[in-house]
Amino acid sequence: MASVAPEVEKKEEEEQVVNPWEVSAGKGGIDYDKLVDQFGCQRLDAALIDRIARLTGRPPHRFLRRGLFFAHRDLNEILDIYEKGDKFYLYTGRGPSSEALHLGHLVPFMFTKYLQDAFKVPLVIQLTDDEKFLWKNLTVEESKRLARENAKDIIACGFDVERTFIFSDFNFVGGAFYENMVKVARCVTYNKVVGIFGFTPEDHIGKISFPPVQAVPSFPSSFPKHFSGNDQLRCLIPCAIDQDPYFRMTRDVAPRIGYQKPALIESRFFPALQGENTKMSASDPNSAIYVTDSTKDIKTKVNKYAFSGGQDSVELHRKLGANLEVDVSIKYLNFFLEDDDELERIKKAYKEGRMLTGEVKQLLVTVLSEMVERHKRARARVTEEMVDAFMAVRPLPNMFG
Amino acid sequence: MGRTKEELLARLEELKIDFKRHDHPVVLTVEDQAKHVGNFGGALTKNLLLKDKKHRLYIVSALADTKVDMKILSQRLGLGKGGVRMAPEENLRQVLQQVPLGCVTPFALFNESASAVSLLLDQGLKSKQSCYFHPLTNDVTIALSSSNLDKFLLSIGKQPAYVDLEASPVVGKDNPPDLADLVPSGAFCSSEESVENPTPKDAPQVNVPKEKTCLPEVKAKPKVQNKGAESSESKVLTNNGPNVEIFASDVLEVIFPLFLSEASKKLNIKQEELTQILKLDDFKRRAAPDLESVTNMFKNMAYTAGFHAGFDTMLKSGLGGMPSRK
């Protein structure tokens, strides 16, 4: 969903900047508390996580336990609805800008899969191939091709085909979906959209008219064949917090056109291997672990590039311990090591200098390799016919089962 | 989602069914329940949730004193010897929805998710003025007569089936299993008419139980007296489509005992010792992500094949491509 455009947040005192096209931190990394305040969303507290666990009858996902998905809008209302026996649906998406996905891209999909399994609700996944065409120097054919390629990796994440619909904008926009786009467009002035997304007079009109495309999957009437007659069905959107501006706009418009506001559940950013303040970029393959990396690649990348919070020498390290705040391996383990107790033990030992950076990295390589191998195995099973099936506008009779 | 006790009691009142309500602290066993209501004159009942090899569920509701022999019951149902066992706690959660552990009750059938559960009522219940049951929660007990229970069951479309649970008729070639009719007929809601005509009543269950895995701190013992065979943890296969988590769990439960048995033979360690060291839950936790991923892809492949076959059938043969059921 993200792309690149000049940011517009006031840069008063070298503030952090967070919007769909730019994320940059001030000194010391992103201040999430400030961000939550600034955006006006809510924090996900322990009580809410407990409630999720109770309602779904299973332990909460580690991304919730570890505070990686940490903010929300109206999640309480969704849970109230669910508790009463009513349903909702999930909406997430991806801007297919490159063939290679890295682990940071997988994070929202892994969490969305958990939500789908835990709540047993349908999911729509939007591939914004038109957005990539508008923002990048791609042909329409290339954008469409990338969308299908990315769909394969998304399918490999393990979504339930009986309740998942994947669509690409070039294929799907039209009909009721387009009607909603135009309804949204009529409610947002040029000034507003410049304010939210930072467009300039030099930007072409394709960019300026794009935002409604990403807004309307939040409304069930955009999918008449799937949710026919169920216009008030609520939508929950798992995404990274930089997408919040998009959905603030959507939530503002929704009541004005007679629709329900989408709810959001938002995550922190996934750090680049070189550290929190650096950007993961497709042009630097060493900034992230890709789902196509071999175990050897992973080992090399982690050992060479993962920023270490450990000390420079073994003696110093045993004495002072590691700085967990900046250590990237620990941050990655936080995301991907399932066992809470084991993670605590490692953090403690590393902080107190009893465990060395090399040992932590070795464990990380094992964890990541397992994950990437699993993904590769699944990805190898995805055929063009399977992509067709996921992207077909077909009945989903069991979607609320 | 599940029905609450309030909804149940409201329905009983709507139906003008007489019952007495006793509130008490949460009880998990018949003994505990007896401590609070034993002196009020009603008859205590024990309620078992049983499961057969085809994952069909049964609630057996009997007087606390009635002897329930699982082997005989299994034969009378036509499931052979040892065909039923105590259902694991996951089924309790799943099928009986918000009914907490230790709270099996005939009233669980109020939940749509329990529509395929077969209810066997002890004949002995008819002989008591009133019997004690939990109304979907184990901090309340209600006392009502069996005829009032029948009234409720009929109102939700269930035919009450009373059985002499202590009888042990010989089942053989000349004596067919006498309770075979009480085995749930799988895909369709249990109909009120006889079993030969399973026309699908409404659409296949829409409100299916949520498949739940055990929460880490599962502790309460179900309110039972009979020790069933070792409970396998496989879940109910609802007709809501193939469920990857359930399948993966079933597979691991098949593999793990075989693995233990092999390991015990080859390493010359007693199997009981091995089970102390190697735990099914740990094994499941480690194996689940990979197995579920592989299973999900298999399901996708099957679905894809079916989807394309259906699409092509429509293209080439139109509606005539589908066989008629008449």
Side-chain angles (χ1 to χ4, degrees):
Chain A
M1 294 185 189
S3 56
V4 179
E7 45 76 13
V8 81
E9 305 271 324
K10 300 185 206 56
K11 270 224 243 247
E12 282 146 355
E13 337 108 56
E14 269 312 11
E15 293 255 315
Q16 62 190 14
V17 174
V18 176
N19 66 50
W21 296 285
E22 170 157 358
V23 173
S24 63
K27 249 190 314 148
I30 300 275
D31 184 340
Y32 286 102
D33 286 321
K34 215 167 175 191
L35 200 54
V36 165
D37 276 337
Q38 183 191 353
F39 282 176
C41 44
Q42 317 293 316
R43 281 227 128 178
L44 255 177
D45 58 16
L48 209 45
I49 298 177
D50 277 337
R51 193 175 174 206
I52 294 174
R54 249 185 305 119
L55 286 177
T56 56
R58 61 175 72 196
H61 192 274
R62 67 177 179 275
F63 290 167
L64 285 169
R65 303 196 310 262
R66 312 271 168 85
L68 297 168
F69 273 81
F70 75 112
H72 74 95
R73 290 182 186 279
D74 287 352
L75 183 59
N76 266 315
E77 285 182 33
I78 296 286
L79 296 180
D80 289 340
I81 285 169
Y82 185 75
E83 197 167 23
K84 267 206 294 254
D86 290 327
K87 298 295 184 169
F88 62 94
Y89 72 102
L90 294 164
Y91 155 41
T92 192
R94 169 159 170 78
S97 55
S98 58
E99 248 176 281
L101 266 78
H102 55 62
L103 295 184
H105 294 136
L106 286 192
V107 161
F109 289 114
M110 289 162 83
F111 189 66
T112 305
K113 171 189 156 62
Y114 151 77
L115 290 173
Q116 181 178 63
D117 290 342
F119 288 99
K120 298 268 176 295
V121 286
L123 162 67
V124 301
I125 301 181
Q126 179 183 43
L127 293 166
T128 55
D129 42 7
D130 53 348
E131 184 202 0
K132 290 310 153 189
F133 171 79
L134 290 168
W135 262 268
K136 306 261 183 191
N137 192 18
L138 298 172
T139 62
V140 169
E141 289 71 30
E142 183 64 5
S143 307
K144 284 159 95 170
R145 190 189 70 81
L146 286 175
R148 273 189 77 101
E149 284 307 304
N150 280 190
K152 293 178 185 166
D153 280 294
I154 292 172
I155 290 171
C157 290
F159 293 106
D160 185 348
V161 65
E162 292 188 280
R163 29 174 93 95
T164 304
F165 172 54
I166 303 180
F167 66 100
S168 82
D169 290 341
F170 277 136
N171 265 336
F172 192 70
V173 169
F177 192 91
Y178 180 66
E179 287 170 20
N180 280 341
M181 277 168 55
V182 173
K183 283 186 192 173
V184 168
R186 194 167 72 169
C187 291
V188 184
T189 64
Y190 176 76
N191 282 335
K192 191 90 191 274
V193 91
V194 164
I196 298 176
F197 299 114
F199 297 133
T200 70
E202 283 70 46
D203 282 321
H204 58 70
I205 56 177
K207 289 189 185 179
I208 298 166
S209 46
F210 177 74
V213 181
Q214 196 165 314
V216 308
S218 327
F219 307 132
S221 56
S222 303
F223 304 100
K225 295 255 159 65
H226 297 96
F227 301 128
S228 68
N230 208 346
D231 273 4
Q232 297 303 301
L233 184 65
R234 294 297 297 267
C235 176
L236 174 64
I237 308 177
C239 59
I241 194 166
D242 63 342
Q243 302 294 311
D244 193 271
Y246 254 124
F247 300 112
R248 275 208 304 279
M249 173 196 84
T250 312
R251 284 168 59 88
D252 188 56
V253 170
R256 287 150 64 190
I257 53 179
Y259 290 150
Q260 294 285 345
K261 299 183 189 179
L264 286 122
I265 181 166
E266 296 160 306
S267 74
R268 299 172 188 270
F269 303 112
F270 190 78
L273 274 174
Q274 288 90 343
E276 287 260 36
N277 294 343
T278 63
K279 241 166 47 143
M280 264 184 308
S281 121
S283 53
D284 179 8
N286 291 322
S287 59
I289 307 284
Y290 287 85
V291 298
T292 42
D293 284 344
S294 67
T295 303
K296 191 151 156 278
D297 292 332
I298 297 175
K299 191 162 177 194
T300 309
K301 286 187 187 180
V302 168
N303 283 334
K304 268 177 91 169
Y305 300 106
F307 188 81
S308 161
Q311 303 299 336
D312 291 331
S313 71
V314 175
E315 299 78 32
L316 214 54
H317 183 89
R318 296 254 188 242
K319 194 158 140 216
L320 301 174
N323 178 2
L324 298 188
E325 297 300 305
V326 302
D327 188 281
V328 167
S329 304
I330 288 290
K331 287 181 199 286
Y332 274 41
L333 284 174
N334 208 28
F335 273 86
F336 299 123
L337 183 61
E338 174 60 34
D339 189 334
D340 291 338
D341 293 330
E342 198 185 341
L343 182 66
E344 276 319 296
R345 275 199 309 269
I346 294 170
K347 279 174 150 176
K348 193 157 183 282
Y350 193 39
K351 187 166 186 190
E352 294 170 3
R354 284 177 287 119
M355 199 168 175
L356 300 176
T357 302
E359 292 166 311
V360 175
K361 286 193 171 188
Q362 194 173 35
L363 177 64
L364 178 63
V365 169
T366 309
V367 168
L368 294 180
S369 306
E370 240 181 66
M371 257 179 62
V372 169
E373 283 311 304
R374 187 177 310 137
H375 186 94
K376 278 197 215 159
R377 202 187 306 122
R379 173 70 166 80
R381 293 254 175 273
V382 180
T383 58
E384 295 295 337
E385 288 77 18
M386 200 181 287
V387 175
D388 290 337
F390 268 92
M391 295 185 73
V393 180
R394 69 220 128 94
L396 302 177
N398 288 334
M399 64 173 160
F400 288 124
Chain B
M1 275 299 280
R3 303 280 197 163
T4 61
K5 127 188 126 205
E6 285 81 21
E7 284 178 65
L8 172 64
L9 297 178
R11 176 68 71 88
L12 291 177
E13 274 165 31
E14 264 172 56
L15 295 167
K16 306 251 190 305
I17 289 180
D18 270 324
F19 65 91
K20 271 220 204 31
R21 170 182 174 153
H22 303 281
D23 289 66
H24 49 69
V26 164
V27 293
L28 296 170
T29 61
V30 180
E31 292 75 33
D32 286 339
Q33 188 185 30
K35 286 188 209 142
H36 296 283
V37 297
N39 292 330
F40 291 125
L44 290 160
T45 63
K46 62 185 173 199
N47 296 269
L48 319 176
L49 182 65
L50 306 178
K51 172 175 90 81
D52 68 18
K53 294 202 168 128
K54 295 205 173 148
H55 306 290
R56 294 176 291 215
L57 293 178
Y58 308 80
I59 294 181
V60 174
S61 188
L63 293 176
D65 297 331
T66 301
K67 287 206 185 19
V68 177
D69 186 318
M70 304 263 270
K71 281 207 286 284
I72 295 180
L73 193 58
S74 172
Q75 284 183 300
R76 290 173 71 185
L77 285 164
L79 302 170
K81 291 196 200 145
V84 287
R85 44 181 69 174
M86 298 302 307
E89 281 151 355
E90 285 138 43
N91 287 134
L92 273 148
R93 260 187 238 286
Q94 216 180 308
V95 181
L96 307 184
Q97 299 258 288
Q98 284 165 325
V99 171
L101 301 178
C103 189
V104 182
T105 163
F107 290 108
L109 266 54
F110 194 31
N111 276 316
E112 268 145 53
S113 60
S115 60
V117 176
S118 177
L119 177 62
L120 280 71
L121 298 165
D122 180 4
Q123 207 156 276
L125 297 173
K126 287 209 257 199
S127 65
K128 301 289 180 188
Q129 233 184 352
S130 68
C131 302
Y132 290 134
F133 301 102
H134 282 310
L136 299 181
T137 168
N138 48 13
D139 56 357
V140 178
T141 296
I142 58 175
L144 77 173
S145 66
S146 64
S147 54
N148 274 332
L149 176 63
D150 293 348
K151 209 166 159 188
F152 169 75
L153 291 170
L154 289 166
S155 82
I156 56 170
K158 303 286 175 209
Q159 186 74 268
Y162 286 90
V163 172
D164 179 359
L165 288 171
E166 290 186 334
S168 50
V170 174
V171 171
K173 221 168 14 123
D174 300 321
N175 294 327
D178 65 322
L179 301 179
D181 282 350
L182 295 174
V183 172
S185 51
F188 308 120
C189 302
S190 41
S191 53
E192 299 155 29
E193 311 90 15
S194 65
V195 177
E196 305 97 68
N197 213 15
T199 45
K201 271 231 288 243
D202 309 310
Q205 312 173 23
V206 172
N207 261 9
V208 287
K210 302 190 204 15
E211 288 86 10
K212 297 174 174 136
T213 52
C214 273
L215 290 174
E217 44 328 299
V218 165
K219 33 185 153 22
K221 287 193 284 277
K223 194 165 56 150
V224 286
Q225 294 191 350
N226 278 345
K227 247 193 310 152
E230 169 210 355
S231 77
S232 68
E233 286 168 41
S234 44
K235 303 177 166 74
V236 172
L237 280 166
T238 68
N239 65 333
N240 199 39
N243 181 284
V244 166
E245 291 174 324
I246 292 180
F247 177 80
S249 179
D250 285 352
V251 167
L252 292 172
E253 280 162 26
V254 166
I255 302 276
F256 190 63
L258 292 177
F259 167 75
L260 281 188
S261 155
E262 270 296 290
S264 126
K265 259 191 283 177
K266 298 278 162 66
L267 299 174
N268 220 358
I269 308 180
K270 283 224 260 294
Q271 200 157 332
E272 299 79 53
E273 288 176 39
L274 265 184
T275 9
Q276 293 305 312
I277 314 173
L278 302 172
K279 298 284 178 205
L280 173 63
D281 276 339
D282 295 332
F283 182 67
K284 266 189 172 179
R285 212 173 308 127
R286 287 212 56 192
D290 283 320
L291 187 54
E292 283 174 14
S293 170
V294 160
T295 305
N296 193 60
M297 287 320 290
F298 189 72
K299 173 177 165 177
N300 284 343
M301 294 192 288
Y303 180 99
T304 299
F307 173 76
H308 285 280
F311 191 75
D312 287 342
T313 302
M314 203 44 198
L315 279 182
K316 305 209 164 92
S317 321
L319 291 171
M322 190 66 130
S324 101
R325 288 202 185 169
K326 304 207 186 73

